[in-house]
Amino acid sequence: MLELFRQKMPLSCLLYGLLERCFSAERLDRIFLENAKEQYTREILFSTVCDLMLSVVLKVHPSINAAYQKHPEPLGVTVSALYEKLKGVELPVSQALLRDTSEDLSDILDALGFIPDPWLPGYPVRVLDGNCLAASEKRLAVHREVGGGALPGKSLVVFDPERRLMRDVFPCEDGHAQERRLLGAVARAIRAGELWIADRNFCTEGFLNQLRHHGAYALIRLHRNLPLTEETLFSPVEESQGRRILEKPVTVAGRGYRLVRVELEKPTRDGDLFIDMITDLPADIPATTIADLYRRRWTLETAFQHVERHFNSEIETLAYPKAALFGFALALVAYNISSVMISALDCAHQKPVSKDISGYYIAHEIAATFLALIQLGEGLDWRFVAACAPPEFAAWLRETARNVNLRALRKHSRGPKQPKSKPPYDPKQPHVSTYQLLTGKK
């Protein structure tokens, strides 16, 4: 039966297999036991709570209460007890869930034979940025006398753009907290040889020192409050894509850096006429390459848009910060799963296909078959996907991906939209007859 599903519903099988591996009960309960300090398991397992939340994140159910009502078996706890469990999910548990699954998915990509497109050969790239969760519904007693939006929290996210994986998340319950407060925790995730790209909000002397201390490299937009010593005037480098690029050496806390300036043709929305970046990459890496690397930082913003558009990453009904941040962490794992699924399609065919297939058609195909797969395959045992080694699971993914009909998923490109002039509105004739327009009648 499973082989028939792999032939007829390959995309849904890819997704289901990856979900079963990343969210296996054994993995989830192990992560909970290793990272929870205050919570404990009494009446409901963490894996069960995670399954219910995941169904909301994947938009299978509109709310936790709906997922609770639709659960095929009685959970043995009230919905109030379920919400109590959710509001107490500790931040290290949410963080460990993303870390653990991203490491496994990275190993699977290696076993698939996935070859990353290096941004800068020899330097694994990490992009750091913050994400503030949208205001939740005012469901708590503390919200009753508050007029402003209730922010349930924020987080810093570390993105691996070459493998298209969210690598780490650093959640914070205080929605008004300064993101720089979390940089101390981020420093513990730095590895030697990495290149960290970040916006100017993270341009602090302390973070630069941490990157140096761990043997990593920085490429960060300059913050005007960073204390630096300018040794010489700017030297023009060259023009790239209509932009004039300049460079000069600077010193921060006695350590040498390169200051690269990109002069813009048009000012930014903040009125900036140029962008300054500070880096300690070797001098043999051209300033034009550095400018292009920073420009590609927006890849993480695009990934955030994907998470927001395709998953329920900011559940409005979850007002407690820990519950809301737990849902966001699950959405990041779901993004990684969808990314690996696309990479499996690339690795299963003779040439990369991800640039030629439409995300809309993929989503439509999965929406049309995924529920049927769950209902018809209820008796199937998927536990093997969680137990097998990465090479074995990668082979299963590759064989399943070969059954995907790429022709049905191909993009249909269209030319750029032509500007249209809007006809003047006549209040004396608010409506027109399409029939009369087609027949030329007035």
Side-chain angles (χ1 to χ4, degrees):
M1 179 66 76
L2 179 56
E3 187 60 33
L4 178 62
F5 288 152
R6 292 174 67 191
Q7 294 177 10
K8 300 297 184 181
M9 308 175 184
L11 277 176
S12 288
C13 281
L14 285 174
L15 176 60
Y16 198 90
L18 284 163
L19 287 172
E20 283 288 327
R21 184 176 182 90
C22 288
F23 295 104
S24 67
E26 293 79 7
R27 180 197 295 271
L28 296 175
D29 292 329
R30 171 181 58 81
I31 289 173
F32 180 80
L33 290 173
E34 292 176 354
N35 294 277
K37 303 301 180 184
E38 298 178 2
Q39 277 194 327
Y40 54 89
T41 299
R42 180 190 295 174
E43 297 175 333
I44 184 170
L45 294 171
F46 175 69
S47 54
T48 304
V49 175
C50 198
D51 286 343
L52 291 170
M53 178 72 92
L54 183 63
S55 68
V56 181
V57 169
L58 296 178
K59 299 183 178 181
V60 176
H61 299 298
S63 66
I64 294 296
N65 187 49
Y68 174 86
Q69 299 295 337
K70 289 289 187 178
H71 198 270
E73 299 176 0
L75 295 177
V77 296
T78 64
V79 69
S80 297
L82 174 61
Y83 274 105
E84 283 293 319
K85 187 79 171 182
L86 276 173
K87 79 174 187 180
V89 175
E90 296 167 56
L91 301 187
V93 174
S94 299
Q95 184 182 44
L97 180 59
L98 178 62
R99 285 180 175 176
D100 191 279
T101 54
S102 67
E103 287 297 324
D104 187 31
L105 291 174
S106 182
D107 292 340
I108 291 169
L109 286 177
D110 290 337
L112 276 169
F114 175 78
I115 302 176
D117 182 17
W119 281 26
L120 186 62
Y123 299 84
V125 175
R126 299 291 181 265
V127 182
L128 176 67
D129 203 0
N131 182 274
C132 184
L133 298 181
S136 67
E137 294 180 1
K138 297 179 179 179
R139 295 191 164 210
L140 309 182
V142 293
H143 293 152
R144 292 173 186 168
E145 304 299 326
V146 177
L151 300 181
K154 62 171 50 177
S155 59
L156 298 186
V157 178
V158 180
F159 183 56
D160 180 350
E162 298 167 338
R163 291 173 176 267
R164 302 191 296 266
L165 290 178
M166 303 287 185
R167 285 289 194 171
D168 212 339
V169 61
F170 299 88
C172 175
E173 297 180 65
D174 186 355
H176 274 179
Q178 172 54 253
E179 292 174 341
R180 294 184 180 189
R181 277 177 42 187
L182 305 177
L183 286 178
V186 174
R188 294 191 288 272
I190 300 171
R191 299 293 178 265
E194 295 175 341
L195 170 62
W196 283 66
I197 304 177
D199 200 2
R200 57 186 163 193
N201 193 38
F202 306 105
C203 187
T204 67
E205 183 179 334
F207 189 53
L208 291 172
N209 289 339
Q210 287 288 350
L211 290 170
R212 276 284 180 96
H213 174 73
H214 289 88
Y217 298 89
L219 174 52
I220 304 177
R221 186 174 177 183
L222 181 67
H223 195 284
R224 63 183 180 181
N225 291 334
L226 180 71
L228 56 81
T229 302
E230 303 182 29
E231 300 178 355
T232 63
L233 299 176
F234 274 111
S235 300
V237 179
E238 60 180 289
E239 291 190 3
S240 175
Q241 299 178 354
R243 303 167 301 171
R244 187 164 175 256
I245 299 178
L246 308 96
E247 180 181 354
K248 68 177 177 181
V250 296
T251 302
V252 179
R255 296 175 174 175
Y257 290 87
R258 301 163 61 188
L259 181 59
V260 177
R261 171 172 291 182
V262 178
E263 295 183 345
L264 306 175
E265 289 184 315
K266 298 180 180 179
T268 65
R269 60 186 177 185
D270 296 326
D272 297 327
L273 298 174
F274 55 84
I275 293 178
D276 285 343
M277 295 153 284
I278 189 168
T279 183
D280 54 354
L281 285 169
D284 60 350
I285 298 176
T288 52
T289 300
I290 292 172
D292 184 63
L293 284 169
Y294 184 79
R295 180 183 59 84
R296 297 175 71 182
R297 182 188 68 85
W298 289 100
T299 305
L300 179 52
E301 296 292 340
T302 304
F304 280 152
Q305 292 172 8
H306 181 101
V307 171
E308 183 179 352
R309 181 168 60 249
H310 294 287
F311 307 109
N312 194 359
S313 60
E314 300 178 358
I315 304 172
E316 295 179 348
T317 55
L318 294 180
Y320 282 102
K322 290 178 181 178
L325 291 166
F326 175 50
F328 180 68
L330 285 179
L332 296 181
V333 178
Y335 171 85
N336 286 349
I337 287 174
S338 67
S339 179
V340 171
M341 185 174 67
I342 299 300
S343 297
L345 291 176
D346 279 338
C347 296
H349 297 86
Q350 294 181 350
K351 62 178 183 179
V353 299
S354 56
K355 294 182 179 180
D356 299 323
I357 57 178
S358 167
Y360 170 80
Y361 289 128
I362 290 176
H364 178 75
E365 174 69 19
I366 291 175
T369 60
F370 191 70
L371 185 58
L373 173 65
I374 295 175
Q375 292 177 341
L376 296 176
E378 196 171 88
L380 296 178
D381 187 3
W382 289 83
R383 287 178 294 180
F384 72 94
V385 299
C388 60
E392 184 181 352
F393 181 64
W396 184 87
L397 289 176
R398 192 182 299 108
E399 293 171 5
T400 305
R402 290 195 181 112
N403 296 325
V404 175
N405 180 10
L406 298 177
R407 186 176 59 84
L409 305 176
R410 191 172 301 147
K411 289 180 180 178
H412 299 285
S413 302
R414 53 170 293 174
K417 292 184 178 180
Q418 300 298 324
K420 297 181 180 179
S421 58
K422 188 174 181 179
Y425 174 73
D426 184 2
K428 296 181 179 180
Q429 191 177 13
H431 307 290
V432 295
S433 167
T434 302
Y435 169 77
Q436 292 184 9
L437 291 175
L438 291 173
T439 57
K441 295 181 179 180
K442 293 185 180 180

